[in-house]
């Protein structure tokens, strides 16, 4: 191939990348859109003639790829963590004191930055080239959205050097672009997006990346991993600037803890004028050396916290109160509101939880109410303006019969919830089936709400397990169902018959047996039979499960063991394959701590996770809090409130040296 052609293509790529950076990142273009389009078309023409010159970092790769059948799962080599939250200044004061204790110094410097309200994504670069992008998912496993991320103009496809690194950031829909996009959707007769965050998430999860390319997404970088030699977060921001990533100019560096409230106030003042939605301020320990020393817990870095903004409140009118029937039969009253825009989203429905909550707030149809989004996510009614209450309003009363099946409802003495007891209520079945196929349980792709309604309304499904008996012809009986989709759904179901132990437990629809409790049971019992042969008090000994939940679990399993054939455990076993967790079969070299439970506090010679592992390897158990169930409290330097609590409750405190001596006793 002619060397001059190769050089021309190289220069075109370099020039287009530079001008895209000027336009999309710096917002300071040097050439007109028409001139950019001419250069771009020149590159496309040459790449079409010489396809061997197309590279992953070429600007032409931003236009999108052919549609996907579905997103592949991707396991993050380093877990994507979230952040702990603080809501009051006292929460931040406690965080700073904790940092001072952990580090052993009073003067610690912090970096503050806006907390973007978008979709968290991690970008993977190998030898300077973007090779992978994935959503957070559950922290360990997300969805591979590489093709869609390539379409975002503010994401560099190639770095300025050949480093391999991982960049964490937020995909967002800027407010002005969101408004324009919604106006275009309404004009086209489409449903408008609910809020910028949903618009960003929905756009990034389009199976057709060419559709994603048509949506004006942006990417703001805020974290850097797998990069040797970092000195602090200011160094991270400098590198982002060098590599062409978009960041905000509102980052505040090297602040003392006394200056944090001022920085928070400044960001609050700028909140409405910023181009993107933010819901708080992220505070990070500045120095990387200190970050490494402080470490992480299971879900978040200990050296960072999000100081959330107070929720924005707006007033609107209650136009009606309806009751929804959930998967366990619980009737949940829902207020139908005159739509109001609150904290980045239009709110028209608000859950009122139960009858007692309605009576406490005295909410009536026709009332003017104050609405906010709790944590900037879940809408809630804060209070009623009784001064504006119409004379015609009357107190709300729960219905005496199920609004769907007509069965008489019940409310047990001492319980807050009203239930529909019918075993054939279609509302209960639909809610259970939606839960059953959801991502957290059986994760059956393609089973949306409309399909669930059709399957139940046509009588094809009378119990969630019935979906595994459906064939392609059954699906073809449904409205607007083609052969390709029907085949895909059938094959998906066949792959979904084997689930992990905790997901199996969640799918049983036992009240109070949710994600956390199911995981705890799966961690503490080897098989389903082990749970069926224990007493409630044995379950309640598991940290995180109380006596009430334990009794409810046992009752639920008894009902399943003796209940109707369609819901009997024998039927569940015959259809579902349970993938039990692989227990660590490595025999510990010692078991000197067998039967003992330890809590660890203070500054130790190793990260706390290492001390926890030492205890586990020697047959002991670990508790993260001081309770009567622990045997000993392991105290390092500057042990604080946990030590005080242990001494008050008579729990013996030991040193790290004591623990290590017990784990490795001298032999004579």
């Amino acid at each position: 191939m002619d060397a001059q052609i190769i050089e021309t293509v190289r220069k075109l790529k370099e020039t287009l990348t530079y001008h895209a950076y000027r336009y999309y990142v710096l917002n300071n273009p040097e050439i007109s859109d028409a001139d950019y389009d001419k250069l771009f078309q020149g590159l496309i023409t040459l790449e079409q003639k010489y396809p061997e010159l197309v590279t992953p970092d070429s600007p032409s790769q931003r236009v999108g790829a052919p549609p996907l059948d579905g997103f592949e799962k991707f396991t993050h080599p380093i877990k994507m963590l979230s952040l702990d939250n603080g809501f009051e200044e006292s929460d931040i004061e406690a965080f700073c004191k904790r940092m001072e204790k952990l580090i052993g110094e009073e003067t610690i410097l912090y970096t503050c930055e806006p907390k973007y309200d978008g979709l968290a994504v991690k970008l993977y670069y190998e030898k300077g080239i973007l090779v992978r992008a994935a959503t957070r998912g559950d922290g360990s496993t997300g969805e591979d959205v590489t093709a869609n991320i390539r379409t975002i103009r503010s994401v560099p496809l190639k770095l300025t050097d050949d480093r391999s690194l991982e960049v964490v950031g937020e995909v967002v829909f800027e407010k002005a672009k969101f408004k324009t996009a919604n106006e275009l959707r309404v004009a086209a007769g489409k449903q408008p997006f609910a809020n910028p965050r949903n618009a960003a998430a929905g756009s990034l999860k389009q199976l057709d990346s060419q559709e994603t390319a048509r949506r004006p997404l942006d990417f703001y970088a805020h974290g850097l991993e797998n990069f040797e030699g970092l000195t602090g977060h200011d160094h991270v921001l400098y590198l982002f600037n060098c590599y062409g990533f978009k960041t905000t100019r509102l980052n505040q560096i090297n602040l003392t803890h006394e200056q944090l409230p001022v920085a928070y106030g400044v960001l609050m003042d700028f909140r409405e004028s910023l181009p993107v939605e933010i819901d708080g301020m992220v505070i990070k320990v500045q120095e990387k050396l200190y970050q490494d020393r402080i470490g992480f817990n299971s879900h978040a870095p200990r050296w960072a916290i999000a100081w959330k903004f107070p929720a924005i409140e707006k007033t609107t009118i209650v136009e009606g109160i309806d009751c929804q029937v959930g998967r366990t039969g619980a009737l949940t009253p829902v207020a139908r509101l005159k739509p109001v825009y609150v904290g980045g989203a239009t709110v028209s429905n608000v859950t009122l939880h139960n009858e007692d909550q309605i009576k406490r707030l005295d909410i009536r149809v026709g009332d003017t109410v104050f609405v906010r989004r709790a944590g900037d996510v879940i809408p809630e009614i804060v209070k009623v303006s009784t001064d504006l209450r119409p004379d015609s309003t009357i107190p709300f009363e729960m219905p005496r019969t199920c609004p769907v099946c007509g069965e008489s409802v019940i409310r047990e003495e001492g319980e807050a919830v009203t239930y529909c007891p019918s075993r054939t209520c279609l509302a209960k079945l639909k809610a259970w089936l939606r839960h059953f196929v959801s991502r957290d349980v059986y994760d059956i792709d393609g089973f949306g709400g409309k399909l669930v309604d059709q399957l139940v309304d046509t009588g094809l499904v009378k119990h969630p397990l019935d979906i595994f008996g459906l064939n392609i012809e059954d699906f073809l009986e449904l409205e607007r169902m083609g052969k390709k989709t029907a085949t895909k759904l059938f094959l998906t179901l066949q792959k979904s018959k084997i689930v992990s132990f905790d997901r199996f437990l969640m799918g049983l629809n036992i009240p109070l047996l949710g994600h956390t409790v199911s995981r705890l049971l799966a961690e503490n019992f080897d098989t389903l039979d082990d749970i069926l042969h224990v007493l409630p008090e044995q379950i309640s000994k598991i940290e995180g499960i109380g006596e009430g939940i334990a009794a409810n679990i046992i009752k639920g399993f008894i009902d399943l063991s003796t209940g109707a054939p369609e819901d009997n455990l024998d039927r569940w076993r015959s259809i579902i394959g349970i993938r039990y967790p692989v227990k660590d079969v490595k025999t510990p070299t010692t078991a000197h701590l067998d039967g003992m439970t330890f809590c660890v506090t203070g500054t130790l010679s190793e990260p706390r996770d290492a001390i926890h592992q030492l205890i586990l390897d020697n047959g002991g158990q670990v508790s993260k809090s001081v309770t009567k169930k622990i045997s000993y409290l392991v105290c390092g330097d500057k042990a604080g409130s946990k030590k005080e609590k242990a001494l008050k409750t008579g729990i013996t405190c030991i040193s790290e040296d004591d623990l290590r001596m017990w784990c490795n006793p001298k032999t004579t």
Side-chain angles (χ1 to χ4, degrees):
M1 183 182 296
D2 191 333
Q4 186 174 355
I5 293 174
I6 297 175
E7 180 62 15
T8 299
V9 170
R10 186 192 68 78
K11 285 187 176 181
L12 278 171
K13 291 177 182 177
E14 189 177 274
T15 302
L16 286 165
T17 298
Y18 170 77
H19 287 299
Y21 171 70
R22 299 288 309 182
Y23 185 91
Y24 292 103
V25 178
L26 300 184
N27 197 25
N28 186 20
E30 291 183 349
I31 62 174
S32 68
D33 290 352
D35 289 338
Y36 182 89
D37 290 343
K38 287 179 183 178
L39 292 171
F40 189 80
Q41 190 55 51
L43 176 64
I44 294 294
T45 300
L46 287 172
E47 287 187 339
Q48 287 177 344
K49 189 173 182 179
Y50 305 102
E52 63 270 29
L53 295 180
V54 178
T55 57
D57 61 310
S58 173
S60 65
Q61 300 306 292
R62 294 193 184 277
V63 298
L68 301 170
D69 291 330
F71 290 111
E72 296 289 332
K73 299 293 185 183
F74 177 77
T75 301
H76 297 286
I78 301 175
K79 190 174 181 179
M80 275 189 78
L81 303 176
S82 55
L83 287 170
D84 288 327
N85 293 325
F87 297 92
E88 306 292 340
E89 188 171 337
S90 58
D91 297 331
I92 306 307
E93 188 68 24
F95 166 77
C96 293
K97 287 182 178 179
R98 192 160 61 249
M99 296 304 99
E100 291 166 7
K101 286 183 179 181
L102 288 170
I103 295 172
E105 293 188 16
E106 292 186 3
T107 303
I108 301 171
L109 297 179
Y110 300 92
T111 295
C112 298
E113 61 192 20
K115 184 179 182 297
Y116 304 104
D117 191 15
L119 184 70
V121 171
K122 185 182 285 190
L123 312 181
Y124 293 85
Y125 289 84
E126 291 182 5
K127 296 183 179 180
I129 303 296
L130 177 66
V131 297
R132 187 83 60 204
T135 60
R136 176 188 284 132
D138 62 4
S140 297
T141 303
E143 292 177 322
D144 186 331
V145 290
T146 309
N148 290 350
I149 284 291
R150 288 184 187 279
T151 69
I152 301 176
R153 306 282 178 162
S154 53
V155 172
L157 299 180
K158 183 179 181 181
L159 304 177
T160 52
D161 59 32
D162 60 356
R163 295 291 295 261
S164 294
L165 51 86
E166 300 170 18
V167 177
V168 182
E170 214 83 8
V171 173
V172 299
F173 220 119
E174 292 190 346
K175 289 186 281 191
K177 296 175 182 177
F178 170 75
K179 182 180 179 182
T180 301
N182 261 355
E183 290 172 349
L184 293 172
R185 288 181 69 84
V186 172
K190 297 180 180 179
Q191 187 75 14
F193 294 119
N195 54 61
R197 188 188 187 283
N198 285 358
S203 299
L204 192 64
K205 294 187 177 182
Q206 292 288 315
L207 292 175
D208 185 352
S209 60
Q210 295 179 33
E211 176 60 30
T212 304
R214 287 189 279 270
R215 301 187 182 185
L217 296 178
D218 232 323
F219 179 83
Y220 283 79
H222 56 69
L224 184 60
E225 297 175 353
N226 196 23
F227 192 101
E228 295 294 330
L230 284 178
T231 58
H233 196 66
D234 56 344
H235 189 188
V236 172
L237 297 175
Y238 168 76
L239 289 169
F240 283 155
N241 182 56
C242 293
Y243 286 138
F245 287 99
K246 196 169 191 175
T247 60
T248 176
R249 295 181 179 179
L250 290 175
N251 290 314
Q252 301 179 69
I253 302 171
N254 291 336
L255 303 182
T256 64
H257 77 265
E258 292 87 358
Q259 295 172 312
L260 296 180
V262 177
Y264 181 78
V266 169
L267 201 53
M268 277 274 286
D269 291 340
F270 276 100
R271 181 183 188 182
E272 293 297 324
S273 63
L274 290 178
V276 296
E277 294 280 0
I278 65 172
D279 58 3
M281 181 177 78
V282 178
I283 302 169
K284 299 177 180 178
V285 170
Q286 157 64 17
E287 291 191 43
K288 184 67 166 58
L289 177 66
Y290 289 162
Q291 292 179 7
D292 292 341
R293 186 185 301 180
I294 296 167
F296 307 84
N297 58 33
S298 62
H299 66 278
R302 293 191 178 95
W303 42 265
I305 190 170
W307 190 352
K308 300 297 289 289
F309 289 148
I312 298 172
E313 294 184 3
K314 295 288 182 67
T315 58
T316 188
I317 306 294
V318 178
E319 296 183 330
I321 300 177
D322 303 328
C323 283
Q324 295 180 341
V325 183
R327 60 187 174 88
T328 62
L331 268 64
T332 303
V334 177
R336 308 300 180 189
L337 307 178
K338 182 178 180 180
V340 60
Y341 192 76
V342 185
T346 299
V347 176
S348 56
N349 300 317
V350 173
T351 298
L352 300 177
H353 302 292
N354 53 54
E355 186 178 12
D356 293 343
Q357 172 78 350
I358 296 177
K359 289 181 177 179
R360 183 181 68 80
L361 293 173
D362 190 19
I363 300 172
R364 306 180 186 185
V365 175
D367 275 342
T368 297
V369 293
F370 290 83
V371 180
R372 70 182 180 194
R373 291 175 65 215
D376 280 344
V377 178
I378 303 172
E380 64 178 356
I381 292 177
V382 183
K383 60 182 177 180
V384 176
S385 178
T386 53
D387 294 340
L388 299 176
R389 171 173 287 166
D391 294 335
S392 59
T393 62
I394 59 174
F396 174 81
E397 291 186 3
M398 291 291 288
R400 296 183 179 181
T401 59
C402 174
V404 177
C405 71
E407 182 83 8
S408 295
V409 298
I410 58 174
R411 180 177 175 181
E412 300 287 352
E413 185 177 350
E415 295 288 334
V417 180
T418 302
Y419 289 95
C420 168
S422 171
R423 296 184 63 87
T424 59
C425 179
L426 295 186
K428 290 172 63 174
L429 175 56
K430 288 179 180 180
W432 183 8
L433 186 53
R434 290 190 187 97
H435 168 75
F436 189 86
V437 300
S438 69
R439 181 174 298 181
D440 286 340
V441 191
Y442 280 73
D443 192 18
I444 303 176
D445 190 39
F447 270 73
K450 291 182 179 179
L451 178 58
V452 167
D453 289 344
Q454 285 192 78
L455 290 172
V456 174
D457 291 340
T458 58
L460 284 170
V461 172
K462 298 179 180 179
H463 186 282
L465 288 177
D466 293 346
I467 64 174
F468 296 112
L470 298 174
N471 54 43
I472 295 174
E473 287 70 28
D474 291 327
F475 285 116
L476 289 173
E477 292 180 11
L478 304 176
E479 293 181 10
R480 304 178 68 180
M481 179 68 66
K483 183 68 175 288
K484 181 178 179 181
T485 302
T487 302
K488 181 180 177 181
L489 288 170
F490 174 76
L491 294 175
T492 299
L493 284 170
Q494 307 316 304
K495 297 177 183 177
S496 303
K497 289 183 179 180
I498 301 177
V499 292
S500 61
F501 190 17
D502 59 329
R503 288 174 181 258
F504 173 83
L505 295 173
M506 285 181 66
L508 294 175
N509 204 34
I510 295 175
L512 305 183
L513 188 54
H515 181 274
T516 299
V517 176
S518 295
R519 178 179 53 80
L520 290 171
L521 291 176
E523 289 175 352
N524 285 273
F525 295 97
D526 291 338
T527 68
L528 179 60
D529 286 325
D530 291 339
I531 299 177
L532 298 178
H533 294 93
V534 297
L535 298 173
E537 50 265 33
Q538 292 174 275
I539 294 179
S540 64
K541 288 181 180 179
I542 300 172
E543 187 172 353
I545 300 180
E547 293 180 0
I549 294 177
N552 194 81
I553 291 170
I554 295 298
K555 180 181 181 303
F557 278 114
I558 291 174
D559 291 345
L560 285 171
S561 300
T562 60
E566 70 271 11
D567 201 27
N568 193 281
L569 273 177
D570 289 338
R571 185 180 181 222
W572 285 89
R573 292 175 189 267
S574 67
I575 295 175
I576 305 300
I578 305 175
R579 187 172 62 249
Y580 291 108
V582 178
K583 303 295 184 181
D584 188 0
V585 297
K586 179 182 71 175
T587 303
T589 54
T590 56
H592 304 295
L593 309 183
D594 189 27
M596 302 181 190
T597 301
F598 296 81
C599 181
V600 181
T601 188
T603 305
L604 303 155
S605 65
E606 290 186 279
R608 194 164 299 176
D609 289 346
I611 303 298
H612 288 170
Q613 194 59 51
L614 174 67
I615 294 169
L616 295 172
D617 287 346
N618 284 273
Q621 297 295 317
V622 173
S623 171
K624 292 185 178 180
S625 57
V626 176
T627 68
K628 293 180 180 180
K629 295 179 181 180
I630 72 168
S631 310
Y632 298 95
L633 179 68
V634 182
C635 298
D637 293 337
K638 300 183 179 180
S641 58
K642 286 185 178 179
K643 184 174 182 180
E644 293 175 7
K645 184 176 180 180
L647 293 173
K648 287 180 182 178
T649 53
I651 294 171
T652 303
C653 299
I654 65 172
S655 68
E656 181 183 347
D657 289 340
D658 292 332
L659 176 69
R660 293 186 181 281
M661 182 181 68
W662 290 357
C663 293
N664 301 287
K666 295 179 180 179
T667 57
T668 57

